[in-house]
């Protein structure tokens, strides 16, 4: 099988510190659905949180490793600078007011004909809400705190900070099938050709004059692109290896399968399969309500539950 084109992001994974504060911000304030409460498979004494739309649709998933006493990272080349969610262009005022009421300082942004706001989460992670004329067919959380017309509608884009952009641009155009759709100053916007897909945009941002960032709390750890299934993922793996990338073997993340490699600018990329998805072990109406751990860890559940800090779902 030949690798086709990438249609967009699968998820973005970032690092946080306090788990409850993270949960309150993303589920309580931003109204993302808490779709999976699990543990870091490499460190089961710590959580792995997944937020997304009502069903955990790929392209809406923001995940966190909340490490209670993590120090704060810094932004710089080789990192994702900001993560943007799509909202309706008519919802910008709603969000400005909501953030202000919750004492979150937001500033206006205007880019390539789209308006939005940007702000940071409690750990310093830079986020944007961008008014987008084409909203992806994702399913906002009906039980959430945000009126459905204003709800977050999956990812709009990510901005990757790089020293230079050409090699990364070559990877995402020649290999992933993205196109350069706009540019301004040091920002180059690429988009997949799948026009209604969530998270189809990536901006490459040349910031050669700042020091390299450090990945810790408040930073994005990696971004994942979508593959339709295992066969397509394997085709991607073969293609990337042919191009000279060091690519990990396929890793089973229970809800998807993953391969990882570092793109030429230093950002950690992943390609994750859409199946089996977050409804593998919980029904849609139960997503996020129980601690789910992989079957091979179940024997250790009592101890894991004792170590994990208690959390409460926002009312
Ligand atoms: Zn990942």
């Amino acid at each position: 099988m030949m690798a086709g084109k990438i249609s967009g992001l699968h998820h973005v994974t970032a690092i946080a510190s306090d788990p409850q504060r993270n949960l309150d911000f993303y589920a309580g304030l931003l109204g993302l659905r808490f779709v999976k409460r699990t543990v870091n498979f490499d460190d089961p004494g710590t959580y792995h949180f997944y937020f997304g739309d009502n069903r955990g649709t790929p392209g809406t998933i923001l995940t966190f490793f909340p490490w209670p006493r993590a120090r704060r990272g810094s932004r710089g080349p080789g990192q994702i600078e900001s993560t943007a969610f799509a909202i309706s262009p008519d919802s910008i005022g709603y969000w400005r007011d909501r953030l202000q009421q919750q004492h979150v300082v937001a500033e206006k942004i205007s880019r390539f004909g789209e308006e939005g706001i940007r702000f940071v989460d409690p750990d310093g992670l830079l986020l944007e809400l961008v008014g987008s004329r084409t909203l992806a067919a994702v399913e906002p959380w009906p039980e959430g705190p945000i009126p459905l017309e204003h709800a977050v509608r999956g990812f709009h884009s990510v901005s990757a900070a790089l020293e230079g952009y050409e090699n990364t641009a070559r990877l995402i155009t020649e290999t992933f099938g993205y196109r350069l759709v706009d540019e301004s100053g040091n920002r180059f916007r690429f988009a997949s050709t799948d026009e209604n897909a969530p998270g189809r945009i990536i901006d490459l941002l040349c910031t050669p004059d700042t020091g390299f960032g450090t990945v810790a709390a408040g930073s994005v750890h990696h971004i994942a692109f979508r593959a339709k299934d295992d066969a397509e993922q394997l085709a991607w793996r073969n293609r990337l290896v042919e191009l000279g990338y060091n690519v990990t073997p396929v890793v089973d993340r229970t809800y998807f399968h993953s391969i990882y490699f570092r793109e030429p600018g230093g950002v950690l990329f992943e390609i994750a399969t859409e199946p089996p998805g977050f409804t593998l072990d919980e029904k849609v109406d139960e997503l996020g309500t129980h601690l789910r751990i992989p079957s091979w860890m179940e024997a250790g559940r009592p101890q894991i539950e004792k170590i994990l800090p208690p959390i409460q779902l926002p009312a």
Side-chain angles (χ1 to χ4, degrees):
M1 180 183 175
M2 286 275 291
K5 288 180 176 179
I6 295 271
S7 62
L9 295 168
H10 182 287
H11 65 266
V12 173
T13 291
I15 299 169
S17 55
D18 186 73
Q20 185 66 54
R21 197 172 60 165
N22 181 257
L23 187 55
D24 289 344
F25 188 85
Y26 287 94
L29 174 57
L30 294 187
L32 305 184
R33 185 164 187 197
F34 187 42
V35 293
K36 198 62 67 182
R37 173 181 174 183
T38 184
V39 294
N40 182 341
F41 294 176
D42 302 316
D43 179 12
T46 60
Y47 284 115
H48 192 180
F49 288 169
Y50 289 84
F51 300 95
D53 77 346
N54 194 42
R55 293 171 177 274
T57 306
T60 70
I61 304 293
L62 179 60
T63 101
F64 285 93
F65 292 118
W67 289 324
R69 279 164 301 279
R71 69 194 167 82
R72 197 172 269 213
S74 62
R75 286 191 282 275
Q79 267 192 37
I80 295 301
E81 166 91 3
S82 64
T83 302
F85 291 103
I87 55 171
S88 159
D90 302 326
S91 300
I92 295 169
Y94 168 86
W95 280 102
R96 221 177 23 229
D97 293 347
R98 180 171 176 85
L99 291 167
Q100 193 173 29
Q101 280 159 15
Q102 305 285 326
H103 312 290
V104 176
V105 179
E107 61 181 38
K108 280 184 71 164
I109 52 172
S110 177
R111 223 177 262 154
F112 304 129
E114 290 176 326
E115 309 288 317
I117 51 175
R118 72 172 173 189
F119 49 95
V120 293
D121 86 351
D123 288 300
L125 187 73
L126 186 56
L127 301 170
E128 299 170 349
L129 296 176
V130 178
S132 178
R133 280 173 300 274
T134 51
L135 293 171
V138 304
E139 190 179 309
W141 180 27
E143 318 283 305
I146 310 297
L148 287 180
E149 71 267 30
H150 297 310
V152 166
R153 300 288 292 271
F155 290 121
H156 172 273
S157 58
V158 288
S159 298
L162 305 165
E163 290 199 302
Y165 77 103
E166 278 93 347
N167 289 324
T168 304
R170 192 170 306 130
L171 169 68
I172 61 179
T173 55
E174 292 177 8
T175 306
F176 288 4
Y178 280 47
R179 291 199 200 120
L180 178 69
V181 292
D182 224 329
E183 60 178 279
S184 171
N186 66 342
R187 182 179 290 271
F188 300 84
R189 172 158 292 185
F190 297 84
S192 82
T193 53
D194 191 349
E195 295 199 359
N196 296 312
R200 61 184 283 267
I201 296 171
I202 178 164
D203 284 2
L204 303 185
L205 201 56
C206 292
T207 56
D209 43 356
T210 62
F212 271 80
T214 51
V215 173
S219 349
V220 170
H221 184 265
H222 65 266
I223 59 171
F225 296 89
R226 300 194 286 279
K228 265 193 273 308
D229 53 28
D230 292 321
E232 193 183 274
Q233 180 181 60
L234 202 58
W236 281 115
R237 189 174 189 285
N238 292 338
R239 178 88 182 100
L240 289 161
V241 169
E242 264 169 37
L243 289 167
Y245 288 97
N246 281 324
V247 188
T248 67
V250 176
V251 184
D252 184 358
R253 297 301 185 197
T254 303
Y255 309 105
F256 45 87
H257 304 146
S258 302
I259 56 172
Y260 303 83
F261 64 102
R262 214 166 277 280
E263 59 80 31
V267 180
L268 186 59
F269 276 10
E270 172 184 347
I271 294 179
T273 55
E274 292 185 14
F278 295 94
T279 51
L280 175 73
D281 57 2
E282 284 176 310
K283 293 195 191 92
V284 169
D285 58 358
E286 288 175 346
L287 286 174
T289 55
H290 301 102
L291 177 69
R292 305 303 313 191
I293 56 178
S295 52
W296 48 274
M297 274 185 202
E298 279 294 346
R301 181 184 275 271
Q303 208 190 347
I304 289 170
E305 287 183 341
K306 209 180 289 171
I307 297 169
L308 288 172
I311 50 166
Q312 246 181 338
L313 293 171

